[in-house]
Each structure stands twice: as C-alpha cells, then as structure tokens.
Amino acid sequence: MAFGIMFHHFHGPSHKKTQGSISSKQLQKIIIFLKKNYNLINANDFLYKFINKKFEKKDVCLTFDDALKSQVDIALPVLYREEIQAFFFLYSNAFEKNFNKLEVFRDFRTTRYKKIDLFYEDFFFKFKKEYPKKYKIFKESNIKKYLSKYTFYSFKDRQFRFCRDKILSKKHYEALMLNLMKDKKYNFVKEKNKILMSKQDVKRILNYNQLIGLHSHAHALNMDKLNYNEQLLDYKKNLTFFKKNFKITPKSMSHPYGRYNQSSLKALKKIGIKLGFLSNFTKKKIFSSLEVPRYDHIYMTKRFSKNKL
C-alpha cells in the first residue's frame, strides 16, 4: 500500500533535543532506507499518481506537519542535498499574533523539565488542585485504548493527552499550562519565533521547490467535533492564507491530529483538495485519496533497520 512518512520535530544547531525529535543524520538514514526498499517519489509525483489512480504498492513520500522552524533549519537542507521534494502541511494560525500555543506548550514540557514524567507530575498536581471535579472525571475514565494505536506513546503520555483532548476545555487547558509556564518563568512570546516558521521560512520552502499543503487554520484539537460549515470556514481560511501571501493554491493536506469525519472530507472536496493524509497506519486499505496512511518518523527510527514496514 502506498503511504507517507510523517515528520515533526528535529534537533540540531539552535534546536534542542526534545521528546520524539530526530537529527539530520537520522533523517538521512531514513531516506537511504526508503530509497533502498521502496519507491521514494517527489510530492508532485505522489499527488499526480493519486489524482489519476496510478499509485503503486511501494510508492512512498515524505511529509512534514505543523509549521515547525526546525524543519526548515535542519530537514530542508537534507531534502535539498538528496534532491527530494516533500509535502509541508502548515496551519495558518501559526503565523498570527494570537496563535495556537500547542507547540510552545510542547516545547515547554520537553525543555523545561529534565524528564517528561516530572512535567506530568506538575501537570496532574495542578490539574487536581485547580479543577477537582474534572480531575475526578478523569480518574473515573477508562483510557486503556485511548491513542493505543500510537505505540510510541507511554501510558502517561496518553493520560496527559486524554485530559488535554477530552476532559479539559481549551480555555481551562491553556490556563493550566500558562500557570505552569509562569512558575518556570517561560516566556512563550519570545520562544514562539524559535519554534514556529515565519512567512520568510515558507518562501524558503517554496524556493527549495517543496510542496505546501493545508493543515487547517486553527489546528483544532477535535476537528471531527466541528460541523460542516465550521470545518469549511476553517479550511477556507487556511487556503486563502496561502493564496494571498504566496500566490499558491494547495491541492493537498493532512488532518490535524488525524481527526476527521465525513464533513471534513466534504469540505475539503468543496475547496478543491485532491490528496489528504492520516496520522497513522491502522487502516488496511486506502478508502479515498483524502485518507492516505502515514508512518510517524518516531516509528521509523525504531523499525526501519529491521525492514518491517
């Protein structure tokens, strides 16, 4: 089955090593493995093959999510050297003053604590103290299967994400995280420019002949809980951002957090999107060109040397 490889965080010069990040050498090692064992093709070719239903079982492409600056600084030069065109899926809210703080929250919990479990201790202590009723709901919830398909997550990783995604409201989650950040004197406004891309970075990606795709405007935690009109408006904002600022009209996308529904697919077709990627590889077949599976790069670093893909 044709699929994509999903990359997020990288470490190296000017970018600290964080939970799940990889180096340029690890990226290059993955590329060498894919070239040897699969048909690693450029993003435009992958898009063409899916539009025309000509994809082959061993076709694979590289994808980068979330508008992360480390991708430009560390991964892009590797792509250039290897002459590979990848997909870069960007959410447009990342370029606004009132931006989605998901990535600064991630940076905070992985750089201001020696171990991620120490962050979880602080998080759940403050969660219990500030929102006791919601904490009680969490403790009574059965989360054994939540995100279990993402085998690289520890149980505590999944507990945290369950609270963030299912128990706490966006307002309460952000308030809790901002309190923790204040305790550690973490300036998220200052750190944002080190973590997220700028418009100049996007121009650099385009100059390197990479392919830009949509990743929604606001990067909502639960896109599948929004109705059709809400999703359509969000994706239209994302599309308009690239048309207005870079004179391009993306035809590809990836689903934020891998969450979508039939309304998502309808909205994406409405605005002319031809290719969409999931964030996992759990489906046994490709149901549509907007539901193409991907392997996470964390999975790749653990499995590619054993040739088990």
Side-chain angles (χ1 to χ4, degrees):
M1 183 192 302
F3 59 93
I5 305 297
M6 176 174 63
F7 294 93
H8 285 89
H9 302 88
F10 291 83
H11 59 258
S14 75
H15 293 281
K16 295 178 182 179
K17 187 174 184 178
T18 61
Q19 186 183 32
S21 66
I22 62 173
S23 67
S24 60
K25 287 184 178 180
Q26 287 173 301
L27 171 60
Q28 193 148 23
K29 200 172 182 181
I30 290 171
I31 289 171
I32 291 170
F33 170 80
L34 292 173
K35 283 183 174 181
K36 182 178 179 181
N37 294 279
Y38 293 88
N39 182 29
L40 178 58
I41 60 178
N42 285 334
N44 262 323
D45 294 331
F46 199 91
L47 177 61
Y48 172 84
K49 282 192 167 188
F50 265 86
I51 290 175
N52 294 282
K53 298 181 180 180
K54 293 184 177 181
F55 58 89
E56 301 171 55
K57 185 178 180 180
K58 285 202 167 187
D59 286 343
V60 62
C61 64
L62 305 185
T63 72
F64 296 79
D65 283 11
D66 291 347
L68 298 166
K69 191 170 180 62
S70 67
Q71 296 170 356
V72 177
D73 295 341
I74 296 169
L76 191 59
V78 177
L79 298 179
Y80 180 76
R81 288 197 303 271
E82 294 292 331
E83 298 183 336
I84 296 173
Q85 181 193 54
F87 292 97
F88 282 78
F89 298 120
L90 315 179
Y91 64 101
S92 38
N93 174 268
F95 302 90
E96 296 183 344
K97 187 176 181 180
N98 186 24
F99 63 98
N100 186 323
K101 298 177 183 64
L102 72 101
E103 287 300 336
V104 294
F105 288 159
R106 180 192 180 279
D107 182 75
F108 165 71
R109 68 178 185 262
T110 57
T111 63
R112 292 302 190 269
Y113 290 85
K114 290 184 178 180
K115 294 181 179 180
I116 190 66
D117 284 355
L118 296 176
F119 161 76
Y120 292 146
E121 285 180 16
D122 279 0
F123 176 84
F124 285 110
F125 176 81
K126 194 169 285 287
F127 177 21
K128 184 178 181 179
K129 180 182 177 181
E130 298 294 330
Y131 308 109
K133 291 182 180 179
K134 289 182 178 292
Y135 184 81
K136 186 174 185 293
I137 294 172
F138 156 65
K139 293 300 289 184
E140 293 173 349
S141 300
N142 183 355
I143 69 164
K144 288 182 179 180
K145 293 184 179 180
Y146 188 68
L147 299 180
S148 59
K149 59 191 174 185
Y150 298 98
T151 55
F152 47 80
Y153 285 150
S154 70
F155 184 63
K156 287 184 178 179
D157 290 335
R158 294 193 290 116
Q159 282 184 312
F160 164 70
R161 284 164 173 76
F162 183 82
C163 292
R164 180 194 67 186
D165 302 353
K166 303 296 183 181
I167 303 295
L168 290 166
S169 66
K170 182 176 183 291
K171 179 181 178 180
H172 289 155
Y173 170 65
E174 289 197 357
L176 196 159
M177 289 298 294
L178 289 171
N179 280 334
L180 287 171
M181 290 161 74
K182 185 178 179 181
D183 292 343
K184 291 281 187 177
K185 295 181 173 56
Y186 180 94
N187 186 335
F188 72 85
V189 176
K190 181 181 177 181
E191 297 298 328
K192 185 239 186 186
N193 295 329
K194 301 176 185 177
I195 300 166
L196 295 175
M197 293 180 190
S198 65
K199 289 182 181 178
Q200 196 61 39
D201 289 324
V202 179
K203 289 179 181 178
R204 186 180 172 195
I205 290 171
L206 292 170
N207 288 339
Y208 274 63
N209 194 36
Q210 303 301 303
L211 205 62
I212 299 291
L214 306 185
H215 197 47
S216 80
H217 171 70
H219 204 294
L221 268 172
N222 296 297
M223 181 67 78
D224 56 329
K225 302 302 180 185
L226 303 181
N227 63 40
Y228 169 75
N229 288 329
E230 290 170 327
Q231 293 192 56
L232 179 62
L233 177 62
D234 186 276
Y235 282 116
K236 275 186 174 179
K237 282 184 179 180
N238 198 197
L239 183 64
T240 299
F241 172 80
F242 292 110
K243 283 184 175 181
K244 180 180 178 180
N245 291 282
F246 307 103
K247 313 302 180 188
I248 59 173
T249 305
K251 298 294 181 184
S252 60
M253 64 81 64
S254 66
H255 300 281
Y257 298 101
R259 294 166 189 164
Y260 71 101
N261 55 22
Q262 288 303 310
S263 292
S264 313
L265 304 182
K266 183 180 176 182
L268 292 166
K269 289 176 183 177
K270 176 76 173 178
I271 62 173
I273 299 301
K274 304 296 184 183
L275 178 66
F277 287 89
L278 307 178
S279 63
N280 57 66
F281 207 94
T282 57
K283 293 191 174 183
K284 294 182 179 180
K285 65 177 182 178
I286 299 173
F287 292 99
S288 77
S289 62
L290 296 178
E291 299 170 279
V292 180
R294 290 188 292 176
Y295 277 111
D296 192 283
H297 72 232
I298 300 174
Y299 178 87
M300 285 293 296
T301 57
K302 293 180 179 180
R303 307 284 290 189
F304 75 89
S305 62
K306 297 179 181 179
N307 201 6
K308 289 189 177 181
L309 295 184

